[in-house]
Amino acid sequence: MSPTTSDKLQTPSSAADDLSVKSKTWGKRTGGKVALSELYVPVADDLAAVESILEQELKSDTPFVDALLDHSSMLGGKRVRPLLLLLSARAVAGTDESRESRDGTSLDDSVRFMAAAVEMIHTATLVHDDVLDQAEVRRHRPTAHVRWGNRISVLLGDYLFTHAFHVASKSGSVGSMAKLASSSNLVCAGEMKQNYHVKNFEMEPGTYFEIISQKTAELCASSCGIGALLAGADEQVTQQFEDYGRHLGMAFQIVDDVLDLTGSEDTVGKTLGTDLVNGKPTLPMIHALSVMEQAKRQRLLELLKSGDDIDAAIGMMQEAGSFDYASKIAVEHIAQAESFARSLAETPASNSLVSIASFVVKRSR
Ligand code: GRG
């Protein structure tokens, strides 16, 4: 069993340390050091089309509804999931641009509709998450519930969620829609599990990994799987792309959990510290409690449960090496994702899939 899915906390394997060596060499395949914006280049036309789908779809004749949709039309998002879907599709399709997707719609159209749909679902989850966490800032702007209240925000999330399936249906791919549906369902299941475990800071690491695999990694995994499927990959290859996306998503969430405790709100662009305030156990907390001697452990547990002195709790986690530990686990996931991406035939899209992996652990927002 991989150390990252085990019920026990383990020392990150040497794969974590290996990445520092790999990261010195990954530029070779892509011809030098890569800037974040370069990752988007192989699918720039697709992404522009996705933006215009989002703009056209999220409009209403009713001014109030239009204002809501305008707010959610997602300025400032990194578009990671559409990017993963499009790159996976292009990596599978290679240079054969005339291909049709499995269900007859042109590959261009079907991947673009599905990429817009995954971004809508992702945004719906953020709108609902901000209600649950009562977070005030998202994508550097006031959250929907701060502007319109909880009731309207829940409806906005519902609107985005349902509209996503309307857009997905335009892809003409029943298989992709089925993946998107089951994946969205698992995201909700993960979020429900997380809410059930509020303040259970002594939870098994395996439970934490299961929660983040569902609430975050699932949509990254299905994005990659849908892209591969649309481009004609068989079941086995589609699964490999999903595994790649899941590793990225796991790393992404672990980094997010570390940033929630150590990041700067100005850089990250959202309210931080909400995990602790809302009693959500995350990897640094679980790790610190598992390595501390009894008296310290009791003190940290009190701080976590009361949420009274966040700085003191963060200091104790820092001292326990828990942020380093969590970062190493994230790096291990990235190493596995990167190794798969390197096994693909070299194209601009597969090069981006290689490089995107390293950016997940380096990200600050
Ligand atoms: C409506 C399908 C649906 C589900 C509701 C609330 C909920 C159930 C799920 C929440 C899942 C969630 C918010 C997981 C966190 C994922 C995460 C790390 C989001 C941040 O993603 P970024 O950084 O955001 O890609 P941007 O703003 O760049 O798009």
Short mmCIF file of all heavy atoms in Angstrom, two decimals, residues 324-357:
data_model
loop_
_atom_site.label_atom_id
_atom_site.label_comp_id
_atom_site.label_asym_id
_atom_site.label_seq_id
_atom_site.Cartn_x
_atom_site.Cartn_y
_atom_site.Cartn_z
N ASP A 324 6.68 20.28 7.10
CA ASP A 324 7.66 19.60 6.24
C ASP A 324 7.16 18.21 5.87
O ASP A 324 7.27 17.76 4.73
CB ASP A 324 9.01 19.44 6.96
CG ASP A 324 9.71 20.78 7.11
OD1 ASP A 324 9.30 21.73 6.40
OD2 ASP A 324 10.63 20.89 7.94
N TYR A 325 6.61 17.53 6.89
CA TYR A 325 6.10 16.17 6.64
C TYR A 325 5.01 16.19 5.56
O TYR A 325 5.06 15.43 4.59
CB TYR A 325 5.54 15.57 7.94
CG TYR A 325 4.85 14.26 7.70
CD1 TYR A 325 5.59 13.07 7.63
CD2 TYR A 325 3.47 14.20 7.49
CE1 TYR A 325 4.96 11.87 7.35
CE2 TYR A 325 2.84 13.00 7.22
CZ TYR A 325 3.59 11.84 7.16
OH TYR A 325 2.97 10.65 6.87
N ALA A 326 4.04 17.11 5.74
CA ALA A 326 2.93 17.17 4.79
C ALA A 326 3.45 17.50 3.39
O ALA A 326 3.02 16.92 2.39
CB ALA A 326 1.90 18.20 5.25
N SER A 327 4.40 18.43 3.33
CA SER A 327 4.94 18.82 2.02
C SER A 327 5.62 17.63 1.35
O SER A 327 5.53 17.45 0.13
CB SER A 327 5.94 19.97 2.16
OG SER A 327 5.28 21.05 2.78
N LYS A 328 6.29 16.81 2.16
CA LYS A 328 6.96 15.64 1.57
C LYS A 328 5.96 14.64 1.03
O LYS A 328 6.18 14.01 -0.01
CB LYS A 328 7.88 14.97 2.59
CG LYS A 328 9.19 15.71 2.72
CD LYS A 328 10.25 14.87 3.39
CE LYS A 328 11.59 15.60 3.26
NZ LYS A 328 12.61 15.05 4.12
N ILE A 329 4.85 14.48 1.73
CA ILE A 329 3.82 13.55 1.22
C ILE A 329 3.27 14.09 -0.11
O ILE A 329 3.05 13.34 -1.06
CB ILE A 329 2.68 13.38 2.26
CG1 ILE A 329 3.20 12.72 3.53
CG2 ILE A 329 1.54 12.57 1.65
CD1 ILE A 329 3.64 11.28 3.40
N ALA A 330 3.09 15.43 -0.17
CA ALA A 330 2.61 16.03 -1.42
C ALA A 330 3.62 15.76 -2.54
O ALA A 330 3.24 15.38 -3.67
CB ALA A 330 2.40 17.53 -1.24
N VAL A 331 4.90 15.91 -2.22
CA VAL A 331 5.95 15.69 -3.23
C VAL A 331 5.95 14.24 -3.72
O VAL A 331 6.18 13.96 -4.90
CB VAL A 331 7.33 16.12 -2.65
CG1 VAL A 331 8.46 15.60 -3.50
CG2 VAL A 331 7.40 17.63 -2.53
N GLU A 332 5.63 13.31 -2.82
CA GLU A 332 5.57 11.90 -3.25
C GLU A 332 4.46 11.68 -4.28
O GLU A 332 4.64 10.93 -5.24
CB GLU A 332 5.29 11.01 -2.04
CG GLU A 332 6.52 10.76 -1.22
CD GLU A 332 6.37 9.52 -0.34
OE1 GLU A 332 5.58 8.61 -0.68
OE2 GLU A 332 7.07 9.47 0.67
N HIS A 333 3.32 12.29 -4.04
CA HIS A 333 2.24 12.16 -5.01
C HIS A 333 2.66 12.77 -6.35
O HIS A 333 2.38 12.22 -7.42
CB HIS A 333 0.97 12.87 -4.50
CG HIS A 333 0.17 12.02 -3.55
ND1 HIS A 333 -0.51 10.90 -3.97
CD2 HIS A 333 -0.04 12.13 -2.23
CE1 HIS A 333 -1.12 10.35 -2.92
NE2 HIS A 333 -0.85 11.07 -1.86
N ILE A 334 3.33 13.91 -6.26
CA ILE A 334 3.76 14.58 -7.48
C ILE A 334 4.75 13.72 -8.25
O ILE A 334 4.72 13.64 -9.48
CB ILE A 334 4.39 15.95 -7.11
CG1 ILE A 334 3.28 16.90 -6.67
CG2 ILE A 334 5.20 16.54 -8.24
CD1 ILE A 334 2.15 17.04 -7.66
N ALA A 335 5.65 13.04 -7.50
CA ALA A 335 6.65 12.19 -8.17
C ALA A 335 5.95 11.10 -8.97
O ALA A 335 6.36 10.76 -10.08
CB ALA A 335 7.59 11.59 -7.12
N GLN A 336 4.87 10.55 -8.40
CA GLN A 336 4.15 9.47 -9.11
C GLN A 336 3.42 10.02 -10.34
O GLN A 336 3.41 9.39 -11.40
CB GLN A 336 3.15 8.82 -8.16
CG GLN A 336 3.87 8.14 -7.00
CD GLN A 336 3.03 7.04 -6.37
OE1 GLN A 336 2.50 6.18 -7.05
NE2 GLN A 336 2.92 7.07 -5.06
N ALA A 337 2.83 11.20 -10.20
CA ALA A 337 2.13 11.81 -11.34
C ALA A 337 3.15 12.12 -12.44
O ALA A 337 2.93 11.81 -13.63
CB ALA A 337 1.42 13.09 -10.90
N GLU A 338 4.27 12.69 -12.02
CA GLU A 338 5.28 13.11 -13.00
C GLU A 338 5.85 11.90 -13.75
O GLU A 338 6.08 11.96 -14.96
CB GLU A 338 6.40 13.87 -12.28
CG GLU A 338 7.25 14.68 -13.22
CD GLU A 338 8.36 15.44 -12.50
OE1 GLU A 338 8.07 16.10 -11.48
OE2 GLU A 338 9.51 15.37 -12.98
N SER A 339 6.02 10.81 -13.02
CA SER A 339 6.60 9.63 -13.65
C SER A 339 5.65 9.10 -14.76
O SER A 339 6.12 8.71 -15.84
CB SER A 339 6.88 8.61 -12.55
OG SER A 339 6.68 7.33 -12.98
N PHE A 340 4.36 9.14 -14.51
CA PHE A 340 3.41 8.73 -15.57
C PHE A 340 3.50 9.69 -16.76
O PHE A 340 3.57 9.25 -17.92
CB PHE A 340 1.98 8.67 -15.04
CG PHE A 340 0.96 8.56 -16.16
CD1 PHE A 340 0.85 7.40 -16.92
CD2 PHE A 340 0.14 9.64 -16.49
CE1 PHE A 340 -0.06 7.30 -17.99
CE2 PHE A 340 -0.77 9.55 -17.54
CZ PHE A 340 -0.87 8.38 -18.29
N ALA A 341 3.48 10.99 -16.47
CA ALA A 341 3.48 11.96 -17.57
C ALA A 341 4.73 11.81 -18.44
O ALA A 341 4.69 11.97 -19.66
CB ALA A 341 3.36 13.38 -17.01
N ARG A 342 5.85 11.46 -17.78
CA ARG A 342 7.09 11.27 -18.54
C ARG A 342 7.05 10.04 -19.43
O ARG A 342 7.83 9.92 -20.38
CB ARG A 342 8.29 11.13 -17.58
CG ARG A 342 8.74 12.43 -17.02
CD ARG A 342 9.96 12.27 -16.14
NE ARG A 342 10.29 13.55 -15.58
CZ ARG A 342 10.92 14.51 -16.22
NH1 ARG A 342 11.35 14.30 -17.45
NH2 ARG A 342 11.16 15.67 -15.65
N SER A 343 6.16 9.10 -19.10
CA SER A 343 6.10 7.87 -19.90
C SER A 343 5.30 8.09 -21.19
O SER A 343 5.29 7.23 -22.07
CB SER A 343 5.45 6.75 -19.07
OG SER A 343 4.04 6.98 -18.96
N LEU A 344 4.64 9.24 -21.31
CA LEU A 344 3.82 9.50 -22.51
C LEU A 344 4.70 9.92 -23.68
O LEU A 344 5.80 10.46 -23.47
CB LEU A 344 2.82 10.63 -22.21
CG LEU A 344 1.79 10.36 -21.10
CD1 LEU A 344 1.06 11.65 -20.73
CD2 LEU A 344 0.80 9.28 -21.54
N ALA A 345 4.20 9.70 -24.89
CA ALA A 345 4.93 10.18 -26.07
C ALA A 345 5.11 11.69 -25.95
O ALA A 345 4.19 12.39 -25.51
CB ALA A 345 4.13 9.85 -27.33
N GLU A 346 6.29 12.17 -26.32
CA GLU A 346 6.56 13.59 -26.09
C GLU A 346 5.82 14.48 -27.09
O GLU A 346 6.03 14.40 -28.30
CB GLU A 346 8.07 13.85 -26.14
CG GLU A 346 8.37 15.24 -25.63
CD GLU A 346 9.87 15.49 -25.42
OE1 GLU A 346 10.65 14.51 -25.46
OE2 GLU A 346 10.23 16.65 -25.22
N THR A 347 4.95 15.32 -26.56
CA THR A 347 4.23 16.33 -27.36
C THR A 347 4.17 17.58 -26.48
O THR A 347 4.43 17.50 -25.27
CB THR A 347 2.77 15.91 -27.66
OG1 THR A 347 2.06 15.79 -26.41
CG2 THR A 347 2.68 14.61 -28.43
N PRO A 348 3.79 18.74 -27.05
CA PRO A 348 3.66 19.92 -26.18
C PRO A 348 2.68 19.66 -25.02
O PRO A 348 2.93 20.08 -23.89
CB PRO A 348 3.10 20.99 -27.13
CG PRO A 348 3.61 20.57 -28.49
CD PRO A 348 3.61 19.07 -28.48
N ALA A 349 1.58 18.93 -25.29
CA ALA A 349 0.60 18.67 -24.22
C ALA A 349 1.19 17.78 -23.13
O ALA A 349 1.03 18.05 -21.94
CB ALA A 349 -0.66 18.03 -24.81
N SER A 350 1.88 16.70 -23.53
CA SER A 350 2.42 15.81 -22.49
C SER A 350 3.55 16.50 -21.73
O SER A 350 3.74 16.27 -20.53
CB SER A 350 2.86 14.47 -23.08
OG SER A 350 3.99 14.62 -23.91
N ASN A 351 4.30 17.39 -22.40
CA ASN A 351 5.31 18.16 -21.68
C ASN A 351 4.68 19.01 -20.59
O ASN A 351 5.22 19.16 -19.50
CB ASN A 351 6.10 19.06 -22.64
CG ASN A 351 7.18 18.28 -23.38
OD1 ASN A 351 7.60 17.21 -22.93
ND2 ASN A 351 7.62 18.79 -24.53
N SER A 352 3.51 19.60 -20.91
CA SER A 352 2.82 20.41 -19.90
C SER A 352 2.36 19.54 -18.73
O SER A 352 2.39 19.97 -17.58
CB SER A 352 1.60 21.13 -20.49
OG SER A 352 1.99 22.33 -21.08
N LEU A 353 1.91 18.31 -19.05
CA LEU A 353 1.48 17.42 -17.97
C LEU A 353 2.65 17.07 -17.06
O LEU A 353 2.48 16.88 -15.85
CB LEU A 353 0.84 16.14 -18.54
CG LEU A 353 -0.54 16.31 -19.19
CD1 LEU A 353 -0.98 15.00 -19.87
CD2 LEU A 353 -1.60 16.75 -18.19
N VAL A 354 3.85 16.97 -17.64
CA VAL A 354 5.05 16.73 -16.82
C VAL A 354 5.29 17.94 -15.92
O VAL A 354 5.47 17.83 -14.70
CB VAL A 354 6.30 16.48 -17.70
CG1 VAL A 354 7.57 16.43 -16.84
CG2 VAL A 354 6.16 15.20 -18.51
N SER A 355 5.26 19.13 -16.53
CA SER A 355 5.65 20.34 -15.79
C SER A 355 4.62 20.75 -14.75
O SER A 355 4.97 21.29 -13.70
CB SER A 355 5.86 21.50 -16.76
OG SER A 355 6.81 21.14 -17.72
N ILE A 356 3.34 20.53 -15.04
CA ILE A 356 2.27 20.97 -14.13
C ILE A 356 2.45 20.34 -12.76
O ILE A 356 2.15 20.94 -11.72
CB ILE A 356 0.88 20.63 -14.72
CG1 ILE A 356 -0.19 21.56 -14.17
CG2 ILE A 356 0.45 19.22 -14.45
CD1 ILE A 356 -1.52 21.39 -14.92
N ALA A 357 2.98 19.10 -12.77
CA ALA A 357 3.15 18.39 -11.52
C ALA A 357 4.03 19.19 -10.56
O ALA A 357 3.67 19.41 -9.40
CB ALA A 357 3.74 17.01 -11.79
#
